[in-house]
Amino acid sequence: MWQWVLIIGSSLILFLLSPLAKSTDDFFKATHRNKVPNVFMLTGSLVISWIFAKSITNAANLGLEFGIVGGVAYAGYYLSFAVAGILIYFMRKKGGFTSLHQFLTTRFGKNAMRIFSILIAIRLFNEVWSNTMVIGSYFGTVDSEAYYAAIIVFSLLTLAYSLKGGLSSSIFTDVIQMGLFSILLFVVLSNIYSVPGFTVSQTVNSGIWSFETGLNLLFAALIQSFSYPFHDPVLTDRAFLSSPRVTLKSFLWASVLGGACIILFSIVGVYAQAMGMQGQAAVEVGKAFGTVILLIINFIMITSAASTLDSTFSSFSKLVAVDLNWGESITLGRIAMGVLVILGTIPIFLDAKILSATTISGTMVIGLTPVFLFWKLPAPKISFYLSVGCGLLFGFLLLFDLIPKSWILTQGNYADLLWVNVWGIASCLIVYLIPSWIKLW
């Protein structure tokens, strides 16, 4: 009962507090009373919108599997903020671009922009099911009535306040959700460290720094950080809301704070490892501490999932109405949100895996690395298609486990992920640059 009170009560409060979008700028650009987000609001929004329910679930489980090394490895993805912040800063200041879609259309043509839009639409589609299924797992076992009911209720309630204000609602509620997340995480960690025998020293020394026990994932995450952020409009949409200087500061702070939050939550898994627990780390630790802590962990999941979900809805509505230029109207944006809820919930009824939504989709877009890393370098249109196509090829090799064993030079979990990204990104860089070299010759 208390779980239902949390999920319904928090959503209704956010609905009442959310600003009503009165213009397309309010709905798609997060303006409020003609003001854009400041450093504090933008940083908080960036951090909490990327602390997905699935990401903190993965962080805890990696802490259980590898100790603190697992948490650090997963936090490697948060280098994405710094990479995107710096590159987009110069794209705006030196290139004068107002969106990634404008950049791609200008440099590589409309078809390149459309392919890019498909990639980010798939990303947003994945975000819906991979976060809501985490919420469902706290209400019942997979395939139970309570599991599906929680997913549907949570999705619809989050959709309600997203429809009200669009991106302005998302930014506003993100600040509240970031504050709640920080307080709740502090309470959980305080309880964990109150257990006799479990210390900070034990946490720091809980893992082994080797490829087999976490470093495969860490290096894969760092490599993917040069392409991963650009296929996530939840992140990149926020890079064009405020001034370039405010945006750069926010993204750099978000890189540090986001990574720190992930490492801190992975301590839940480190504790579970020390206590010999198995299964979903966050759920098992919550059960071990009793109803109150379980509810708090559940509320953390609700908070983080809601912040990501409302951002996903807002980004999809902007993609359809603004970026694809199908009609910049609030009505169309709201319709797009409704469509995404339906399409994004379908995989819940299929055999979907949470971590694979991040790791495999991250590999499939490594072809974007040279496109944005070398944004200032003149390149023919074919370079875009060669690089993106090469990245997709390596992504499918990983997805269908077709990687030759001779390519994998380390042992342990995520070795295939690391090396398919190493060889893949090297190939993408080469095929992107070859047309320019030929032209120069």
Side-chain angles (χ1 to χ4, degrees), residues 124-136:
L124 294 172
F125 167 79
N126 283 343
E127 285 304 321
V128 177
W129 63 262
S130 61
N131 279 282
T132 56
M133 68 186 296
V134 174
I135 299 301

Side-chain angles (χ1 to χ4, degrees), residues 158-237:
T158 306
L159 175 64
Y161 75 79
S162 300
L163 291 171
K164 184 179 178 183
L167 192 54
S168 59
S169 281
S170 179
I171 297 285
F172 178 80
T173 55
D174 280 349
V175 176
I176 298 172
Q177 289 159 335
M178 184 65 209
L180 280 173
F181 175 86
S182 302
I183 294 169
L184 296 172
L185 179 58
F186 175 78
V187 172
V188 171
L189 293 179
S190 296
N191 276 269
I192 285 175
Y193 282 114
S194 68
V195 175
F198 188 74
T199 63
V200 173
S201 176
Q202 185 177 353
T203 303
V204 172
N205 296 308
S206 59
I208 299 172
W209 294 87
S210 69
F211 282 99
E212 292 81 356
T213 55
L215 292 188
N216 282 323
L217 180 60
L218 173 60
F219 288 119
L222 295 176
I223 291 171
Q224 287 188 356
S225 292
F226 286 88
S227 57
Y228 195 88
F230 296 104
H231 92 302
D232 185 3
V234 167
L235 184 152
T236 56
D237 283 350

Side-chain angles (χ1 to χ4, degrees), residues 248-440:
L248 180 59
K249 284 184 179 179
S250 300
F251 271 68
L252 293 177
W253 273 112
S255 188
V256 175
L257 296 176
C261 287
I262 288 297
I263 293 170
L264 288 173
F265 199 84
S266 72
I267 294 173
V268 171
V270 175
Y271 174 80
Q273 182 191 67
M275 298 297 115
M277 298 178 184
Q278 294 181 341
Q280 292 288 328
V283 175
E284 297 306 315
V285 170
K287 289 178 179 177
F289 278 98
T291 304
V292 174
I293 296 300
L294 181 60
L295 284 173
I296 289 175
I297 291 177
N298 189 7
F299 199 24
I300 288 176
M301 295 297 176
I302 292 171
T303 299
S304 59
S307 68
T308 302
L309 208 56
D310 64 43
S311 298
T312 300
F313 295 154
S314 299
S315 290
F316 188 74
S317 68
K318 178 178 175 290
L319 172 66
V320 171
V322 179
D323 296 328
L324 292 176
N325 198 27
W326 287 4
E328 191 172 332
S329 72
I330 294 177
T331 300
L332 179 59
R334 287 171 173 158
I335 291 172
M337 289 181 178
V339 170
L340 183 63
V341 168
I342 296 171
L343 294 178
T345 304
I346 292 173
I348 297 295
F349 301 92
L350 307 174
D351 183 21
K353 294 182 179 179
I354 301 173
L355 184 58
S356 64
T358 299
T359 57
I360 293 176
S361 69
T363 301
M364 287 186 171
V365 297
I366 56 175
L368 295 176
T369 301
V371 173
F372 292 103
L373 189 62
F374 303 136
W375 71 271
K376 203 172 182 181
L377 180 70
K381 293 180 180 180
I382 190 65
S383 290
F384 173 88
Y385 297 102
L386 289 173
S387 184
V388 170
C390 184
L392 288 171
L393 173 62
F394 277 89
F396 281 114
L397 289 177
L398 178 64
L399 178 63
F400 296 108
D401 195 24
L402 298 175
I403 308 160
K405 301 302 179 185
S406 59
W407 289 11
I408 304 173
L409 305 182
T410 56
Q411 302 295 320
N413 290 343
Y414 307 109
D416 55 346
L417 175 67
L418 169 60
W419 289 101
V420 78
N421 277 271
V422 169
W423 301 119
I425 205 165
S427 301
C428 290
L429 290 170
I430 291 169
V431 299
Y432 182 85
L433 294 172
I434 281 176
S436 296
W437 292 338
I438 293 173
K439 194 173 182 180
L440 287 173

